Amino acid sequence: MNQTTTLYGVYHANGGLIGEFAYMLGKLMGASHCALCDISHGGFKEKEAFRACMARLPVTLEVVHLNEQSREL
């Protein structure tokens, strides 16, 4: 039996232009923090090392923002 396991990482920020801006502003002011952002992003884009690590995982890793989560998640 072939079973696929999916892990979900949730960014502690809303997606979209307004959500991203609000997170960055909060981070600059010391009011927002997201450990997943620290791991996955450098500056304004996803780190190549994070992308490569995701590709090597034996499971699927899906990352979503707070406002992108399904009800089940």
Side-chain angles (χ1 to χ4, degrees), residues 35-49:
L36 182 55
C37 293
D38 293 344
I39 293 168
S40 64
H41 284 75
F44 294 102
K45 66 179 195 165
E46 191 174 72
K47 293 176 183 176
E48 181 59 39

Side-chain angles (χ1 to χ4, degrees), residues 1-2 7 9 11 19 22-24 30 36 39 48 53 59 63:
M1 180 165 109
N2 187 5
L7 298 177
Y11 291 113
Y23 173 75
M24 291 300 283
L36 182 55
I39 293 168
E48 181 59 39
C53 181
V59 296
V63 291

